């Protein structure tokens, strides 16, 4: 059954209801793991997919479907596939309030989107001695592409550190930004600390010296309203699989005028205007960046995921997560020997609905292994953020991250399971 | 145009429609080979299409050609429908009639897009002619305005905005002729839908380098970038995103094609200190 | 119902049966287009997907499923996802007889795989004046990446032309290969001409001067047995969507020792060993080339597609296509004013089951449009091979390409429909 | 080892098995902190694990440590099971017992892999010790063989192949001790399965630069590249691909881990002129 579409409901009521309301849409959640009901709390790594998204992809491939290569096709299936593929672009554009669908470039995932910026704008614009400012809290995908480019181009990478409350330190950030800074690239919502970046303020800092701002929105686009008209970023990137969409697709957004300045990266079909043996001319964005047969079913699936989330209402999703996240945080805080990383939910911009923590004296993977044997799926390890782990003096951690289909009751059950696990090792 | 649309709609079977197109194609006047130029070529078609315009008595008469018979038939449809119109009429014509032709069911998007692109090239050519008319009739000398692209473009937006309504041609439409059809349309629609206390539409397309010059160049795109400020009671109780969505919804047509960027400021009268 | 697995059946019998036998596995084929039964002959662009592949992906995402991020996960779903993702790699390796699953690198499509080689091995190894030998028959995806690299590195690109029978001219190719040649990159089976490359002979030429050989196997891997142990290539690339698998995935194969010599390309999660602010170390292949959350469901789906094709038997598939392709060729040849490009089926290595052609005096898109109105899906346009079109003095063409589920009766019906279309314009 | 496996298998409930692991962990001997080195560290584990070996009376005694209690328990299992074995026994031990432990159901692949990696590091250390034994007992002086990597590696494969069976230790296994366990195993299996008329297995691992030296270096990988030529009647009527598949199937275990590349020539007796 399709979820009820409500308009800006009272935050508390929405939060109480959303988990229960959406649960029926996610067939995968209704199973047992190790003879206990699955409790999926690894959503910051990947989300589950609602029936509606799976149906949309089945309708593409299956009975009465229209699987076919897109663009240039002159037959009916190709026409339908092209229309659906481009309609999905429009849905994504609408979801983040882009000015035009042509500002959405499909990529495999957010990682590829960052690499795309590094290898097009970055490779074309950045020169020896130019500075790129990041933070120690970045995901590896927002560090390694710049390290690779820095090696090629002789760039200087600078890393903003954390405040005492374990958010990105804006004062330190401001001090790192100089007239040589060409790019500031930061995580909007940290997948490890849960801290939220005041994007407009950072945009002012970056733009003040003529630098551009890229935001890694992997943990914000799925969880809160993100409006690129007010965000302040020049580029944002996000991944489908974390926002109810299929694997194998993600996107880059930039203002069209900026996309136009970016040279091509990968060569092949779709991205060309004319190919001659002596040289080729390239298509306008976004095609310029989409070489080869694209991830068609996946793009269409991501469009359906945007529809699904819009149907719920992103304000409602955010309210639900705010409530669930705060509950998770305070419950964990009440356990002896548990240390949660990142700011409290009372921080000015709040924190994401995820809690990364350690239990004194117990290895994170031991915790997650025991939790798994009771049906609870959480992540443990370095969470693809080794630098911030090192910065905090740890090598790994445990992370629980609820999403739209999780309930307060599940958070309580998780906390109980964690207490049992701690007991197990004591 | 309307009668043409109706005639075409009357044909029920797609195969019969294709036959009709082949028939239209045969009725096209011969196209001069030397006009098979890049400038006259429609972009983004699956086949090659060329269009040229001729002005007689302030009215445009079209010729078209294609290496595809079906495309030639589509071009013939436009040639027949749009010959004898004034440049203003063509510039102001909404592309709705394309949908009414019922070609979408039988034409694939690539061909359908091609059709739209033909119409757009014709509108562009009509606009160029209108500009030349304007320049001719304007004593303050925009005579050099046939120059192709480059520096002359900056500031053109505002200059033409000012002279916009100086020369109505009594062309039967209820809106007056204008050199800034997109800006006008944005103004009109927002005024109708939002009853704004304040409305400011600024065309800053000229700030956007790399988009080609204002006239004549191949990458011509005209009015593409706007700053809009609206104060309206309709915004009360709406979040910023919802206000923006509302505006985008109203301007759906304008944003679909020519406008690249719309920078919005949306306030309630209270927020603007006007309540 | 699963197809019967037969071991090396008589070629003719197999060809007669395969189309009918497999048809039931492809739900999408059983539909009407423009009130006529769909006749899908655009398989060189993309193939349809059997029930078995769709089910495999449903089992991943849906009820009782195991959608989860791969590697490093310590919970049950992640364990299942990782096992299936790596098992799929093993299936692909088996399908082309690679020495180890670790020789398979997942990419979005074949285009990305070629760009990967250009941006890793190419960028690291090729120097100003080095020569790359291609042919005029290459797909854009095997031209543009080398043009882009040539611009960056000052390489010399050379293009082998065609013989009178419109195959890649091996003598001209041999003449182009010099001691300065570092790479020969060619299409194994042309998507436009249908000609088949004698790969071992070309490998000898390339290796004789110390050059490497990359083969674009997009049109061979789905259609015939391809054994990398005997093929002679140093790299091959292929796309899932043309071989019964989902969109959004493809692969690169190379001997492990060669993969080990290739530096990383995209940076991010999965591809690292250790990330420090000062610099990072990278994982071994294939992980080194798989940055970010991969196309998990798609990889698993491609594995299922390999199972499906192996179940049919690639010898049987090839025999079916040989028969269907020859029938298509000779039927078309019998029509007045039709000109087919590429060699005849009697060429030494035969030709692929596809026919690219033009009808004198009628534009290709006019043909395909009229065919479409009778339910026949064929491609028209430049087929992403503008150079060979220009070489042949044309700007576009029509292509019909049958696959495992097409029958001889369909080919006959297609030829009749084509005759009607020609009639229509005459 | 077998009794340990059986004891572990007897525990039915995964939670109880985890308890068992914690218990094993407590029984480990203290691990010297200074041995927390890169060389002793197991790669690819979700947690940190270290292993060291000590040779007493030609038998190896192990110590292990981990920052994860469960991993430490797994390490303890190996330490207990493999202490007191000769280096040869450990090198030749197939990793099947890991599957028999029944951990797969309760351990995720990452942990399971870690377990396998622990065992592999222990095999590597055992091999190193065996090499040192060989060098010591060998009068022709391979004494310098403790050198780490580099040029000395080339040709080592053949050298050791020749001296392979010179020093059997009566270790109870039915095959003789060897410095080239992989090549031997390939030989044995192909001989058993294919009854070849000709069989040639050449280790050319040393040709592959970039794989590190033969001993002691961190990227040690030992026998990794082979050329195999087989003439067998079993190939009759099989295509080349099928012959290769057959060989790959027979050598499944060898190809799964240490062997990077296997270059195959497969002929029937007729094709080899031997029929």
């Amino acid at each position: 059954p399709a979820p009820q579409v409500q308009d800006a409901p009272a935050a508390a009521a929405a939060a109480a209801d959303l988990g229960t309301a959406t649960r029926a849409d996610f067939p995968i959640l209704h199973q047992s793991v190790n003879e206990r009901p699955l409790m999926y709390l690894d959503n910051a790594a990947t989300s589950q997919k609602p029936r509606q998204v799976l149906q949309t992809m089945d309708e593409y491939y299956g009975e009465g479907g229209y699987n076919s290569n897109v663009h240039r096709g002159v037959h009916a299936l190709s026409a339908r596939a092209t229309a659906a593929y481009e309609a999905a672009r429009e849905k994504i554009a609408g979801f983040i309030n882009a000015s035009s669908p042509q500002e959405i470039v499909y990529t495999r995932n957010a990682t590829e989107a960052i690499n795309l910026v590094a290898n097009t704008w970055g490779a074309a614009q950045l020169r020896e001695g130019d500075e790129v400012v990041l933070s120690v809290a970045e995901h590896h995908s927002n560090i390694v592409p710049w390290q690779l480019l820095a090696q090629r181009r002789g760039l200087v990478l600078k890393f903003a550190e954390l405040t005492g409350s374990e958010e990105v330190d804006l004062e330190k950030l401001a001090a790192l930004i100089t007239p040589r800074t060409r790019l500031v690239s930061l995580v909007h919502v940290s997948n490890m600390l849960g801290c939220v970046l005041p994007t407009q303020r950072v945009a002012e800092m970056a733009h003040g010296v003529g630098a551009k701002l890229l935001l890694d929105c992997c943990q914000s686009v799925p969880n809160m309203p993100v409006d690129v008209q007010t965000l302040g970023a020049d580029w944002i990137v996000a991944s489908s699989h974390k926002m109810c969409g299929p694997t194998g697709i993600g996107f880059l957004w930039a203002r069209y005028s900026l996309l136009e300045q970016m040279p091509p990266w990968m060569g092949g079909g779709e991205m060309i205007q004319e190919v001659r043996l002596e040289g080729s001319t390239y298509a306008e964005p976004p095609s310029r960046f989409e070489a080869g047969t694209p991830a068609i079913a996946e793009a269409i699936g991501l469009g359906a995921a945007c529809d699904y989330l819009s149907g719920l209402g992103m304000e409602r999703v955010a309210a639900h997560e705010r409530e669930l996240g705060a509950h998770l945080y305070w419950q964990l805080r009440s356990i002896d020997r548990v240390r949660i990383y990142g700011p409290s939910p009372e921080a000015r911009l709040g924190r994401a609905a995820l809690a990364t923590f350690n239990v004194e004296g117990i290895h994170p993977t031991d915790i997650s292994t025991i939790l798994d044997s009771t049906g609870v799926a959480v992540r443990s390890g370095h969470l693809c953020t080794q630098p911030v782990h090192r910065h905090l003096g740890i090598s790994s951690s445990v992370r629980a991250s609820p999403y739209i289909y999780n309930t307060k009751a599940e958070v309580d059950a998780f906390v109980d399971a964690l207490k049992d696990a701690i007991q197990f090792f004591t | 145009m309307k009668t043409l649309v109706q005639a075409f709609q009357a044909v029920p079977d797609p195969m019969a429609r294709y036959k009709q197109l082949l028939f239209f194609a045969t009725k096209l006047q011969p196209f001069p080979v030397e006009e098979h130029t890049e400038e006259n070529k429609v972009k983004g078609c699956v086949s090659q299409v060329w269009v040229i315009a001729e002005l007689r008595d302030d009215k445009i008469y079209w010729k078209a050609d294609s290496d595809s018979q079906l495309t030639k038939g589509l071009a013939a449809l436009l040639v027949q429908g749009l010959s004898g119109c004034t440049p203003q009429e063509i510039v102001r014509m909404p592309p709705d009639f394309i949908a009414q032709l019922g070609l979408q069911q039988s034409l694939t998007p690539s061909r359908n897009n091609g059709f739209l692109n033909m119409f757009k090239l014709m509108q562009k050519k009509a606009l160029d002619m209108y500009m030349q008319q304007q320049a001719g009739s304007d004593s303050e000398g925009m005579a050099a305005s046939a120059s192709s692209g480059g520096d002359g473009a900056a500031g053109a937006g505002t200059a033409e905005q000012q002279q916009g309504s100086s020369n109505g041609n009594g062309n039967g439409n209820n809106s007056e002729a204008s050199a800034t059809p997109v800006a006008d349309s944005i103004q009109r629609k927002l005024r109708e839908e939002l009853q704004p206390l304040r409305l400011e539409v600024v065309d800053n397309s000229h700030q956007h380098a790399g988009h080609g010059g204002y006239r004549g160049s191949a990458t011509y795109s005209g009015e593409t970038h706007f700053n809009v400020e609206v104060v309206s009671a309709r915004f009360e109780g709406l979040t910023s995103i919802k206000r923006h969505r509302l505006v985008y919804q109203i301007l759906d047509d304008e944003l679909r094609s020519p406008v690249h960027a719309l920078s919005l400021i949306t306030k309630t009268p209270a927020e603007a200190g006007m309540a």
Side-chain angles (χ1 to χ4, degrees), chain A, chain B:
Chain A
Q4 288 291 20
V5 179
Q6 272 179 249
D7 203 40
D17 287 332
L18 196 61
T20 322
T22 57
R23 223 168 159 76
D25 291 333
F26 294 82
I28 198 174
L29 296 176
H30 308 276
Q31 66 175 300
S32 291
V33 163
N34 292 321
E35 292 161 32
R36 304 282 284 275
L38 167 63
M39 198 188 296
Y40 186 77
L41 291 170
D42 193 15
N43 292 289
T46 200
S47 74
Q48 300 304 335
K49 327 302 174 202
R51 216 178 283 282
Q52 291 84 340
V53 168
L54 302 183
Q55 265 164 19
T56 299
M57 291 197 290
D58 281 349
E59 282 159 18
Y60 172 76
Y61 282 131
E63 210 177 317
Y66 54 101
N67 168 61
S68 182
N69 218 324
V70 292
H71 305 132
R72 315 207 163 265
V74 193
H75 57 77
L77 295 196
S78 175
R80 286 173 67 194
T82 305
Y85 178 73
E86 293 303 332
R89 205 191 293 274
E90 211 165 324
K91 288 173 185 186
I92 299 162
F95 192 70
I96 60 164
N97 198 23
S99 300
S100 144
Q102 307 307 308
E103 296 186 346
I104 304 295
V105 178
Y106 289 125
T107 61
R108 174 178 30 246
N109 46 32
T111 298
E112 191 191 20
I114 296 178
N115 280 277
L116 195 163
V117 175
N119 282 280
T120 56
W121 182 85
Q125 298 287 327
L126 301 183
R127 294 281 168 270
E128 187 163 347
D130 282 349
E131 295 173 358
V132 174
V133 175
L134 311 166
S135 87
V136 295
E138 297 313 308
H139 190 280
H140 294 163
S141 63
N142 195 26
I143 297 178
V144 185
W146 307 115
Q147 289 180 332
L148 289 168
L149 187 65
Q151 278 167 24
R152 275 166 62 193
R153 285 281 185 267
L155 311 180
V156 178
L157 303 188
K158 294 170 156 188
F159 295 88
E161 300 195 338
L162 307 182
T163 61
S165 59
E166 296 175 347
E167 300 174 272
V168 173
D169 189 324
L170 292 191
E171 282 172 30
K172 288 185 182 160
L173 182 71
L176 293 180
I177 296 174
T178 74
R180 297 260 11 206
T181 305
R182 300 290 310 281
L183 172 70
V184 177
S185 187
L186 294 170
V187 66
H188 184 191
V189 173
S190 160
N191 74 316
M192 198 277 182
L193 301 169
C195 58
V196 181
L197 197 74
T199 59
Q200 287 177 330
R201 229 181 109 193
V202 173
E204 277 166 26
M205 294 181 195
H207 296 155
V209 298
K212 297 232 177 288
L213 175 63
L214 186 156
L215 291 181
D216 166 2
C217 292
C218 282
Q219 302 291 341
S220 56
V221 164
N223 302 300
M224 58 175 71
V226 168
D227 178 350
V228 294
Q229 303 302 329
T230 55
L231 195 66
D234 297 291
W235 299 277
I236 77 167
V237 303
S239 273
S240 159
H241 70 95
K242 293 190 207 283
M243 56 188 285
C244 293
T247 52
I249 190 103
F251 67 88
L252 169 72
W253 166 86
R255 241 171 284 285
Y256 197 78
S257 51
L258 180 54
L259 288 180
E260 280 181 312
Q261 292 167 30
M262 290 155 60
W265 179 27
M266 295 192 212
E270 298 278 350
M271 58 73 73
I272 56 98
Q273 192 172 17
E274 195 168 15
V275 175
R276 294 178 168 274
L277 300 181
E278 317 80 56
S280 302
T281 53
Y282 308 112
E284 298 292 307
S287 303
R288 184 187 297 165
F289 308 109
E290 295 178 359
T293 297
I296 306 168
E298 291 74 13
I300 295 171
L302 173 56
C306 289
D307 279 349
Y308 181 80
L309 288 172
S310 300
L312 298 178
M314 287 309 290
E315 290 288 2
R316 193 181 170 204
V317 166
H320 171 72
E321 296 202 13
R322 230 169 2 249
E323 169 130 339
L324 226 53
H327 186 62
L328 172 65
Y329 182 89
W330 295 117
Q331 288 291 303
L332 283 180
R333 273 285 294 261
S334 74
I335 307 176
D336 235 25
R337 295 163 55 198
V338 166
R339 155 91 158 87
I340 315 175
Y341 306 102
S344 107
E346 286 162 343
R348 210 170 58 81
L349 290 170
R351 61 171 287 144
L354 61 85
T356 305
F357 61 93
N358 261 312
V359 182
E360 194 194 323
I362 310 182
H363 196 277
T365 63
D366 287 352
I367 302 256
S368 60
T369 301
I370 297 301
L371 285 174
D372 177 57
S373 71
T374 63
V376 179
V378 296
R379 178 122 310 208
S380 65
H382 57 54
L383 313 180
C384 291
T385 53
Q386 288 179 353
V388 75
H389 276 80
R390 208 172 285 119
H391 187 80
L392 294 165
I394 53 176
S395 68
S396 57
S397 55
V398 187
R399 182 183 65 198
S401 52
Y403 196 38
I404 45 174
Y405 33 69
N406 294 115
T407 62
K408 227 166 152 176
E410 273 188 310
V411 170
D412 290 334
F414 157 68
V415 171
D416 287 342
L418 176 63
K419 285 177 183 165
D420 289 346
I422 296 174
Q423 193 55 44
F424 184 82
F425 289 102
T426 317
Chain B
M1 198 73 215
K2 268 188 189 146
T3 48
L4 255 177
V5 169
Q6 281 159 1
F8 204 72
Q9 279 173 324
V11 184
D13 172 38
M15 214 54 134
R17 285 190 183 178
Y18 289 137
K19 264 287 177 234
Q20 187 109 7
L21 287 180
L22 292 189
F23 175 70
F24 287 152
T26 61
K27 298 215 298 183
L28 269 181
Q29 285 188 291
F31 191 91
V33 188
E34 66 274 16
E35 297 284 7
H36 282 168
T37 63
E38 274 307 303
E39 203 174 314
N40 294 331
K41 196 165 167 181
V42 178
K43 306 266 172 212
C45 271
V46 289
S47 46
Q48 303 190 84
V49 196
W50 301 269
V51 180
I52 48 175
E54 201 183 320
L55 199 65
R56 290 201 301 268
D57 303 332
D58 288 344
K59 288 182 175 144
I60 299 188
Y61 295 88
W62 300 95
K63 283 183 182 164
D65 197 9
S66 172
D67 55 354
S68 150
Q69 287 304 300
L70 294 179
T71 308
K72 199 167 170 181
L74 288 170
L77 209 77
L78 288 175
V79 164
Q80 211 180 322
L82 300 179
S83 282
C85 293
T86 64
Q88 295 92 321
E89 283 172 329
I90 289 167
V91 169
R92 306 196 65 83
M93 187 177 288
D96 312 353
F97 72 94
I98 293 179
Q100 289 164 19
L101 275 173
L103 286 168
Q104 258 124 345
Q105 288 90 54
S106 46
L107 289 190
T108 57
S110 32
R111 216 182 259 282
N112 212 4
N113 265 338
F115 193 54
L116 189 63
N117 288 347
M118 273 183 236
F119 178 62
K120 280 192 187 161
L121 179 62
M122 291 166 95
Q123 281 193 313
K124 171 188 167 329
K125 284 180 175 279
L127 185 58
D128 284 349
M129 290 198 153
Y130 174 73
M131 295 296 182
Q132 280 164 15
Q133 282 184 318
Q134 289 290 88
S137 70
D138 187 30
S139 56
E140 277 131 286
M142 289 273 293
S145 66
S147 76
S148 58
D151 290 343
T158 35
E160 277 145 16
Q161 229 162 357
Q162 283 154 7
Q163 68 177 42
S165 57
S166 64
N167 136 320
N169 221 327
N171 57 20
N173 278 343
N174 60 355
S175 53
E176 43 191 13
S178 159
T180 56
V182 182
D184 292 3
S185 159
I186 289 175
Q187 288 250 6
R188 182 174 43 79
K189 288 198 180 168
L190 291 180
R191 202 172 295 127
E192 281 170 16
E193 297 282 336
L194 296 176
Q195 280 108 29
L197 294 180
R198 181 160 75 216
L199 173 62
E200 213 167 310
V201 178
V202 178
D203 177 356
N204 59 350
S205 310
H206 57 281
Q207 293 175 1
H208 295 266
H211 283 227
Y214 197 73
R215 263 188 290 278
S217 94
T219 58
Y220 174 93
S221 60
E223 304 165 89
T224 55
H225 295 74
F226 291 94
N227 288 345
V228 174
E229 185 168 355
V230 205
V231 178
S232 163
R234 285 282 307 277
F235 293 141
E236 233 121 42
L238 296 183
T239 62
S240 169
I241 295 190
K242 291 210 167 139
R243 292 176 191 184
H244 285 200
R245 293 239 163 103
L246 179 59
V247 173
Y248 279 101
Q249 214 175 307
I250 294 168
L251 301 180
D252 196 28
D253 284 340
E254 286 71 16
L255 293 171
R256 188 156 298 167
S257 49
V259 178
H260 280 168
L262 185 66
S263 171
L264 275 182
I265 299 175
T266 52
K267 291 182 179 162
T268 63
E271 290 165 351
M274 296 168 80

